[in-house]
Amino acid sequence: MDENVLPLIRIPFDPPLESTHDARKRLVALSKMCQEENERFARQNLPQDFWDKYNMEVLIERVNRFCMDPITIITLLTLLGMAWHPERMTSNEILQATLPIFRTPFLVILAFIGLIAVWHGITVLSRVWTNAEPLPMNQKSIPSWIFKTLTKPTLPRLDEEGWQKQTVLISGGARGLGAMLAIRLAERGAKVITLDVGKTTVKHPNLSAYHCDISKQINVASVARNIIYRHGSPTMLINNAGIRHGFPLLDLTTSAISNTADYVASKHAVVGLHESLRFELDAIYGTPHVRTTLVTTGHLQETDMFTGIKYNRFARFMAPAVQASTVIDKIVDALERQESRYIMLPWYAIWTPLLRLLPSFVHDFIQLVLGANYSMSTMSPSVRASSMPDDVELSTLPPAMPQEQDTVAH
């Protein structure tokens, strides 16, 4: 599809229209959908201003690329040598007197580059260690284990045939990031199964969608039995389902507050759960080849979860939104290489836990400067109103029936 052409909005006639009132309601819903699609299209395709083009994420990436460029390092070392021994480099007395002034700045820059290189080295070693074979008990085998770990991946990279053997289960896969990820994996050849309380917005011959409320254990158990019976046991599990509210806590219903509390608790707990699960899989169960990846992101573009939300320029510079396609690329790469990883985007995601160590007045000042306390007030009214679907009893859900999927030819 041409990127400069607005996406088509298809008019659904399922369920069939039964009255003029139903037709009016559906037209209102379509009007809101078109408005949100137009806003999202404009946000992604209109020219960006300075704060969007040159935000902190972009600057960090460019500085990192510049510092790690071999040409930069060689040039800096050459200049440092000239400043340290100017008499060997030139016979000009003025240059001999001037060059030593730059010793300290060159040393500071070189130390900064060294810190970046050390950080990269620690990151690579951590990733290699996480995905390595267990440390051999025989000390004589350790040198060969180190060489093999540093030079060869533990598990082979999935090729086309390997992807066709995978069965991927994605919760929250009806729309947004989950739907985009489902399509990407289905195109790789994997058999993809999505769970969601809403009807799926994507179609693919390799994709099956199930209506399931994962907050209800009995519903999950029923759908899980059906999935295993129809498709076999999943080989990859992606826990993506989430909720969001566009209103302050005191404006929410009791049910919405309960759901929010459960969701927030589960999001905080998943970090510790991920760490514990990785340790137990390696040490207790002896299954180091079972991989686990934790994904932590900021505000995502290309999804409708925060349609209409606006930030001030400083917030857009310091805390830029993340392209959903970028997150998907990193997730798919981790799955394809069969590696455990920590995926944290954008730059501040890895540092957010440190905010709790700051004094409350500093934390409050950061919230104020970034406009975080009032950013949700600009969210699209239709999105705020649809923040959380009404509670649905289990009896009204088709617990074991997949949603209808149209066959799409390649």
Side-chain angles (χ1 to χ4, degrees), residues 197 211-223 225 390-401:
V197 294
H211 195 174
C212 177
D213 184 353
I214 63 171
S215 66
K216 294 180 170 61
Q217 185 175 356
I218 189 172
N219 194 191
V220 174
S222 175
V223 175
R225 287 193 296 269
D390 296 333
D391 290 340
V392 183
E393 295 297 331
L394 178 62
S395 59
T396 65
L397 294 174
M401 294 300 295

Side-chain angles (χ1 to χ4, degrees), residues 1 72 114 176 206 210 261 347 409:
M1 178 184 294
T72 301
N206 290 346
Y210 286 79
W347 69 273

